Amino acid sequence: MGARGRMGATVVEAVRSAPDMTVALTVDAGDDLGSITPDNTDVAVEFTVPSASLRNVLTLVRSGVSVVVGTTGWTDEGFAAVRDAVDSASRAGQSVVIAPNYALSAVLMERFARQAARYFESVEVIEMHHPDKVDAPSGTALHTARVVAKAREDAGLGAMPDATTGDETSRGQVVDGVHVHAIRLRGLNAHEEVLLGNPGEQLVLRADSFDRSSFMPGVLMAVRSAASGTRPGLTVGLEPLMD
Ligand SMILES: NC(=O)C1=CN([C@@H]2O[C@H](COP(=O)(O)OP(=O)(O)OC[C@H]3O[C@@H](n4cnc5c(N)ncnc54)[C@H](OP(=O)(O)O)[C@@H]3O)[C@@H](O)[C@H]2O)C=CC1
Ligand SMILES: O=C(O)C1=N[C@H](C(=O)O)C[C@H](O)C1
């Protein structure tokens, strides 16, 4: 799904180049999703737009196909709807993987941020992307902020120091207490920094996807997992597959 888009086209080429995979169908906006069935497709890959992704995934799951999803904009309600649908699916081993970022560098950066969060007073997230991106902040930045906030909460840390008063529009979006800043700049692709601060010291974690090829090993890893049927149900994020 989304085969003519920037990510979709890159995925089509990656699957064509993979020795153990074939492209069954390419589908985009306006095409009939009903053409994708378990008879012609083991795993559908979905990179479309946040407004269409939930509907696409539910349709595919209900038709018996496993799905790997890269589209961003997912909510807890969306995850719950997909979890229910795939758990009550009739085909054994059917699965859905939804990950905001398939680049190994970004997944590892988030893991390191989770490990580090408990040791610092302050944490902020900055994401930087190409200006053709429709959503902000990025799905990855939202996910990172939630993961960091959870790690801080688990460690018993309170609110971060911030003396800002009055108009706070310059302080970014606050996600579970973590400030997230979004930059859109021609020439960039997909980049994220997590800044962690203590009195007299700073740790900067940074992941750069210079090219969409960076996402392909993770996408193919998720496709292989879904095709194997060894991890039925919903998996959120790539990290559980890497472990
Ligand atoms: N998880 C990850 O690792 C990554 C995730 N992403 C995410 O993937 C998504 C796609 O990004 P990108 O490829 O750059 O975006 P593009 O805009 O280049 O591609 C989106 C594609 O989806 C198509 N589309 C739009 N609506 C529908 C619909 N209802 N059903 C089927 N197809 C539809 C568009 O068609 P048309 O142009 O005709 O409207 C287009 O071909 C974004 O949410 C982005 O954040 C991006 C990179 C990595
Ligand atoms: O739209 C993009 O380009 C990207 N989207 C994903 C996101 O929103 O996190 C992943 C990556 O940042 C590239």
Side-chain angles (χ1 to χ4, degrees), residues 117-118 120-123 148-149 151-161 176-178:
R118 59 182 303 193
F120 290 85
E121 265 188 53
S122 303
V123 189
V148 160
R152 288 176 60 88
E153 186 190 333
D154 289 350
L157 298 184
M160 296 180 216
D176 293 352
V178 178

Side-chain angles (χ1 to χ4, degrees), residues 30-97:
D31 293 338
D32 178 16
L33 265 191
S35 62
I36 306 174
T37 72
D39 291 335
N40 58 31
T41 303
D42 294 322
V43 182
V45 181
E46 210 269 3
F47 279 90
T48 61
V49 286
S51 58
S53 191
L54 172 61
R55 196 173 56 245
N56 289 341
V57 175
L58 290 177
T59 304
L60 291 163
V61 168
R62 286 170 187 150
S63 70
V65 177
S66 290
V67 195
V68 167
V69 186
T71 312
T72 44
W74 283 83
T75 61
D76 287 342
E77 292 74 30
F79 288 137
V82 171
R83 187 174 289 112
D84 284 350
V86 72
D87 286 347
S88 54
S90 51
R91 195 165 67 76
Q94 199 178 336
S95 63
V96 176
V97 181

Side-chain angles (χ1 to χ4, degrees), residues 14-24 219-225 227:
V15 170
R16 284 207 171 110
S17 303
D20 54 339
M21 295 182 200
T22 52
V23 176
V219 170
L220 297 187
M221 185 188 295
V223 170
R224 290 188 180 103
S225 166

Side-chain angles (χ1 to χ4, degrees), residues 5-240:
R6 288 178 289 268
M7 281 301 291
T10 313
V11 170
V12 168
E13 283 315 306
V15 170
R16 284 207 171 110
S17 303
D20 54 339
M21 295 182 200
T22 52
V23 176
L25 293 166
T26 58
V27 175
D28 215 294
D31 293 338
D32 178 16
L33 265 191
S35 62
I36 306 174
T37 72
D39 291 335
N40 58 31
T41 303
D42 294 322
V43 182
V45 181
E46 210 269 3
F47 279 90
T48 61
V49 286
S51 58
S53 191
L54 172 61
R55 196 173 56 245
N56 289 341
V57 175
L58 290 177
T59 304
L60 291 163
V61 168
R62 286 170 187 150
S63 70
V65 177
S66 290
V67 195
V68 167
V69 186
T71 312
T72 44
W74 283 83
T75 61
D76 287 342
E77 292 74 30
F79 288 137
V82 171
R83 187 174 289 112
D84 284 350
V86 72
D87 286 347
S88 54
S90 51
R91 195 165 67 76
Q94 199 178 336
S95 63
V96 176
V97 181
I98 303 176
N101 203 312
Y102 284 98
L104 304 186
S105 54
V107 177
L108 289 170
M109 183 188 65
E110 191 171 284
R111 178 190 289 198
F112 301 149
R114 184 173 61 222
Q115 279 180 284
R118 59 182 303 193
Y119 299 107
F120 290 85
E121 265 188 53
S122 303
V123 189
E124 302 219 359
V125 178
I126 306 172
E127 58 95 332
M128 296 152 274
H129 279 83
H130 58 89
D132 304 315
K133 183 170 177 56
V134 294
D135 55 317
S138 71
T140 310
L142 290 170
H143 197 260
T144 306
R146 289 187 189 117
V147 163
V148 160
K150 173 77 168 50
R152 288 176 60 88
E153 186 190 333
D154 289 350
L157 298 184
M160 296 180 216
D162 184 358
T164 310
T165 57
D167 182 3
E168 295 193 359
T169 48
S170 305
R171 296 285 291 116
Q173 182 170 324
V174 185
V175 180
D176 293 352
V178 178
H179 290 254
V180 180
H181 311 269
I183 290 168
R184 297 291 174 263
L185 202 70
R186 185 64 71 202
L188 296 180
N189 184 38
H191 316 264
E192 184 174 306
E193 282 188 2
V194 182
L195 312 182
L196 303 109
N198 266 339
E201 64 170 347
Q202 180 183 221
L203 172 64
V204 180
L205 302 172
R206 179 171 172 126
D208 293 287
S209 276
F210 299 113
D211 186 88
R212 291 187 177 83
S213 57
S214 60
F215 304 112
M216 295 307 113
V219 170
L220 297 187
M221 185 188 295
V223 170
R224 290 188 180 103
S225 166
S228 72
T230 53
R231 203 182 171 88
L234 173 65
T235 299
V236 177
L238 188 66
E239 198 178 341

